[in-house]
Amino acid sequence: MDQLFIDVYSGYKFITRFIKESFQAPFEWREVIKQCLEVGFRSLPLITLTGFVTGIVFTKQSRPSLAAFGASSWLPSLIAIALVRALAPLVTALICAGKVGSNIGAELGSMKVTEQIDAMEVSAVNPFKFLVVTRVLATTITVPILMMYCAFVGLMGAYLDVHSHELTSFITFFEEAFAQITFLDVFSSVFKAFAYGFTIGIVGCYKGFNASQGTQGVGRAANAAVVLSMFLIFVEEIIIVQLTNWIRYF
């Protein structure tokens, strides 16, 4: 229990330092852009495939239930609501946590145990600003963009399945899909994606920055970054959904 409180306090200090150094010059914008491209291109193929398959599978799973009540025409609206509100943010976040979070934890962990971070401090380079601030900003910026792309790809997969069964046209499908989407749905999804991106970046950097005990420590840092990120993402999902529902019915 004591170790849990120590970890929570260390995480609090790490986040506080990130916020403080994010607003202090000099700003490493070139490194931020480089990391955004790394995160985006590294995750794009897997998110394309997963989002497309998610759209098709969810459509196929939903069709029998709606058909039993003669409500197959509700498929586009149902799929759009499910993708925008929950599936796209969660799928994107879990893929990025597994792929990007583990990579950040392993990369910074390797630099820590081989004393490259100490060497940066000796060379008058602020390793926290150059390594941590840039990567956390990159994941916070990139994950919402990837989330919107995942929702679009999922809708395209759903459209192909709906078109093959109900012969629904492209324009009709998207008119019906967006008819039930509200500003609150889009805002809550983008807000969730920002929170998930920040969580993935800060957890990966924290675990990597505090790695120890050689190559075994690097492996543990990468693994812990993925597990803790996913746990926090599910906790944030529950909290944000409760808040959104409270606003929706207020």
Side-chain angles (χ1 to χ4, degrees):
M1 185 60 74
D2 291 343
Q3 186 60 42
L4 176 63
F5 285 113
I6 292 172
D7 290 339
V8 171
Y9 180 67
S10 299
Y12 166 75
K13 286 177 61 180
F14 197 78
I15 294 173
T16 304
R17 185 179 177 186
F18 163 77
I19 295 172
K20 181 182 176 183
E21 300 215 11
S22 295
F23 293 98
Q24 287 181 343
F27 301 105
E28 303 286 352
W29 292 117
R30 183 172 296 180
E31 183 65 15
V32 172
I33 294 171
K34 178 187 170 186
Q35 292 300 325
C36 284
L37 294 175
E38 283 278 321
V39 173
F41 283 118
R42 192 179 296 153
S43 310
L44 205 56
L46 196 52
I47 284 181
T48 303
L49 177 64
T50 311
F52 191 76
V53 171
T54 300
I56 292 177
V57 170
F58 187 74
T59 307
K60 289 186 179 297
Q61 293 283 359
S62 303
R63 180 176 287 106
S65 300
L66 290 177
F69 295 97
S72 298
S73 61
W74 281 84
L75 261 176
S77 300
L78 176 68
I79 296 160
I81 289 172
L83 278 171
V84 172
R85 285 185 184 177
L87 292 177
L90 264 182
V91 167
T92 306
L94 294 179
I95 289 175
C96 288
K99 199 166 182 61
V100 179
S102 63
N103 188 70
I104 291 175
E107 184 183 13
L108 297 195
S110 299
M111 295 180 73
K112 179 70 175 180
V113 299
T114 55
E115 300 182 350
Q116 293 181 55
I117 292 177
D118 297 333
M120 291 177 72
E121 289 180 343
V122 173
S123 305
V125 176
N126 184 343
F128 194 93
K129 183 179 281 291
F130 190 79
L131 298 175
V132 175
V133 174
T134 55
R135 282 162 175 75
V136 176
L137 287 178
T139 55
T140 307
I141 294 169
T142 311
V143 169
I145 298 172
L146 290 171
M147 183 275 292
M148 288 187 275
Y149 174 73
C150 182
F152 171 74
V153 173
L155 283 173
M156 289 303 297
Y159 162 70
L160 291 178
D161 189 77
V162 170
H163 178 72
S164 65
H165 285 81
E166 282 85 15
L167 300 179
T168 305
S169 70
F170 183 83
I171 294 175
T172 303
F173 175 85
F174 278 92
E175 282 181 348
E176 293 179 2
F178 289 110
Q180 302 298 323
I181 299 297
T182 64
F183 173 77
L184 181 60
D185 295 328
V186 178
F187 177 79
S188 63
S189 292
V190 173
F191 180 77
K192 278 195 286 189
F194 273 114
Y196 298 160
F198 175 79
T199 301
I200 293 166
I202 202 76
V203 170
C205 290
Y206 175 77
K207 290 298 181 183
F209 216 73
N210 292 285
S212 59
Q213 300 177 357
T215 54
Q216 289 184 340
V218 175
R220 280 198 296 270
N223 185 60
V226 176
V227 174
L228 184 57
S229 295
M230 289 186 175
F231 172 74
L232 292 175
I233 284 168
F234 283 118
V235 172
E236 289 168 352
E237 172 74 13
I238 294 171
I239 294 171
I240 296 173
V241 167
Q242 288 292 334
L243 288 173
T244 306
N245 287 339
W246 183 78
I247 295 171
R248 194 186 309 280
Y249 301 114
F250 181 70

